[in-house]
Amino acid sequence: MRIVLFKGESQYGSLRLHIDQLAAALEGLGHQATIVDLARADRIAAINAALADPPEAFFGFSGVGYELQSEGVSIYDALGVVYASLYVDHPLHHLARLAQPIQKKAALFLDRSHVQFMSAWSHGRDFRQLGFLPCGANIQGEAPDTSDAAFAARDIPLLFTGTYRGPPTAPWADWPASPARDLLAEMGERMLADGLLSILDALKQTLVRQGGELTTDLLDQVAPLMQSVQAYSEAYQRDRLLNVLGDAGVPLRVYGAGWEPMVARYPSFDHGGVGSFEETLALLRRTRLALNTNNGFVAGGHERVFTAMSAGAGVISDQSRFYAEAFKDGREIATFAWPHLEAVPAQITALLADEAGLAAMARAGAKKALAEHQWRDRAARLVKTIKLAR
């Protein structure tokens, strides 16, 4: 199969590296993968070359390239080919892109609850295929040395990479009293109280308590408003966890943008700079325990987990129904529950104090991730999805 992959912009370069490693994985499976870099000055010529000799499918992360048209008609419809995408955020953050009318389109998501949302949303019916597909691990170089001696030489005890966006705000709190405000407020409260509750389930539970029920028409009406609840929940969880760790004095090496206020507040936080995703790959080979927040993926997986494991680092993350299926908790990964964040500092301290036990967990996690969670594994499922959408 011939596939054109759109390579867009990315804050830390993660999605760009995803494209490179996905292309290599596709080539390794015997397919032809052509990358069109939309950040290059010659992107128009590259797009035109791809259109002149069209492949069976085009692919972009989070809808990159979806909007390409010729005389008001989607180029994918004009060519009769598939446009496929893997969305790395909740679909609520991409409603306009997902509603774009393309005849042969397929969408994959990092979380099974995202697929459930799409199945309930009216525009989800426009897709030839909807499916669950976490990103694969990004790796560079040879597989890591996972011996106890090599683990003991790692010089970063606890690492967190990502953006700190500051204390979260609930925009509906300033709205005049209304049924919409009450609906969003209760949904937010339910999601914060139960870290494994998806926003669609929070909406259903709230409606039931109010004596109503979810319909497609109602979901279409409230979906644009729900984006603020999803964003608030994601930001609240990360902010609360970091403040719990800071208040407890847990030493944490952080990389990413926006960390200055947090580092000024908590002396135990060491900011190494903004960094890039490729730099993170090198840091993970020096890390004993990598901290992950799952960005609200209650039934899905974040590539940070698979990448850290593949680099030989132990991983501690908030719970996910997918991690519960994919890994043995305590043996291949350590997890925590959002309603019990106060226990996380002691949990991290205990993990780091047991060097042999942490090394064993990291070794087991690396074995599982290298065997089952690489881009080669994801590429095969992407190809199958595209074939079904043709």
Side-chain angles (χ1 to χ4, degrees):
M1 179 178 289
R2 296 170 56 228
I3 305 174
V4 169
L5 307 175
F6 289 122
K7 190 175 183 178
E9 296 284 0
S10 177
Q11 182 177 15
Y12 299 109
S14 58
L15 296 184
R16 293 177 64 79
L17 188 57
H18 284 354
I19 285 290
D20 291 340
Q21 300 212 340
L22 174 58
L26 288 166
E27 294 278 354
L29 293 174
H31 304 286
Q32 181 181 333
T34 301
I35 296 176
V36 172
D37 191 342
L38 299 180
R40 289 175 57 97
D42 62 352
R43 60 187 177 276
I44 301 300
I47 292 172
N48 288 334
L51 299 180
D53 184 19
E56 284 91 341
F58 290 80
F59 173 88
F61 280 105
S62 294
V64 168
Y66 80 100
E67 76 284 2
L68 295 180
Q69 295 185 345
S70 176
E71 298 181 354
V73 177
S74 165
I75 62 168
Y76 312 111
D77 292 351
L79 297 173
V81 300
V82 174
Y83 174 76
S85 184
L86 172 55
Y87 286 82
V88 300
D89 300 294
H90 196 287
L92 284 166
H93 299 314
H94 301 284
L95 293 178
R97 286 185 170 184
L98 289 163
Q100 179 76 12
I102 298 172
Q103 292 175 4
K104 296 181 180 180
K105 60 179 178 177
L108 297 161
F109 299 90
L110 308 186
D111 190 306
R112 291 191 179 100
S113 73
H114 298 180
V115 182
Q116 292 169 349
F117 172 87
M118 290 295 297
S119 299
W121 185 45
S122 64
H123 288 288
R125 301 168 188 162
D126 300 334
F127 287 79
R128 292 282 185 95
Q129 288 291 310
L130 294 171
F132 167 61
L133 186 69
C135 289
N138 284 315
I139 59 174
Q140 288 185 329
E142 300 297 321
D145 182 349
T146 59
S147 66
D148 286 349
F151 191 83
R154 292 174 175 252
D155 63 335
I156 301 177
L158 182 64
L159 176 70
F160 181 85
T161 60
T163 300
Y164 177 66
R165 295 182 175 85
T169 57
W172 57 86
D174 296 326
W175 295 0
S178 68
R181 187 189 71 175
D182 294 343
L183 179 72
L184 298 189
E186 183 171 338
M187 288 169 58
E189 290 172 1
R190 289 178 180 275
M191 292 176 70
L192 297 185
D194 179 352
L196 292 177
L197 185 68
S198 73
I199 191 168
L200 184 64
D201 287 338
L203 173 61
K204 291 177 180 177
Q205 290 181 9
T206 302
L207 290 172
V208 167
R209 190 200 62 78
Q210 295 178 352
E213 63 178 354
L214 181 64
T215 65
T216 300
D217 288 343
L218 178 59
L219 181 59
D220 287 349
Q221 292 174 26
V222 301
L225 300 178
M226 290 167 63
Q227 189 273 342
S228 63
V229 181
Q230 181 67 33
Y232 176 75
S233 175
E234 294 166 2
Y236 179 91
Q237 290 174 338
R238 176 173 292 189
D239 179 72
R240 184 175 171 221
L241 172 63
L242 292 169
N243 278 287
V244 166
L245 295 178
D247 287 337
V250 175
L252 178 66
R253 178 80 63 88
V254 296
Y255 286 83
W259 282 94
E260 290 76 12
M262 188 67 74
V263 173
R265 181 176 180 180
Y266 296 120
S268 64
F269 287 6
D270 174 23
H271 187 214
V274 173
S276 68
F277 193 71
E278 292 199 30
E279 289 177 285
T280 296
L281 298 184
L283 292 168
L284 287 170
R285 299 229 172 192
R286 297 167 47 197
T287 298
R288 296 188 178 191
L289 185 61
L291 173 65
N292 175 64
T293 57
N294 222 34
N295 202 37
F297 302 155
V298 299
H302 199 290
E303 56 83 19
R304 274 192 301 258
V305 168
F306 315 124
T307 297
M309 286 180 170
S310 297
V315 172
I316 181 169
S317 173
D318 50 323
Q319 293 174 345
S320 158
R321 289 192 286 276
F322 174 67
Y323 296 150
E325 297 172 8
F327 303 110
K328 296 182 177 65
D329 199 350
R331 292 181 56 187
E332 296 166 333
I333 190 174
T335 65
F336 59 87
W338 286 114
H340 306 292
L341 280 189
E342 291 73 17
V344 177
Q347 183 181 9
I348 288 175
T349 300
L351 286 166
L352 292 172
D354 181 9
E355 182 178 301
L358 183 55
M361 186 181 79
R363 186 160 46 247
K367 182 178 180 181
K368 177 62 73 71
L370 290 168
E372 299 179 12
H373 298 288
Q374 303 302 297
W375 276 113
R376 66 172 182 271
D377 307 299
R378 310 310 194 221
R381 292 169 63 185
L382 172 62
V383 169
K384 182 178 179 180
T385 299
I386 290 172
K387 287 181 178 178
L388 291 171
R390 292 175 66 182

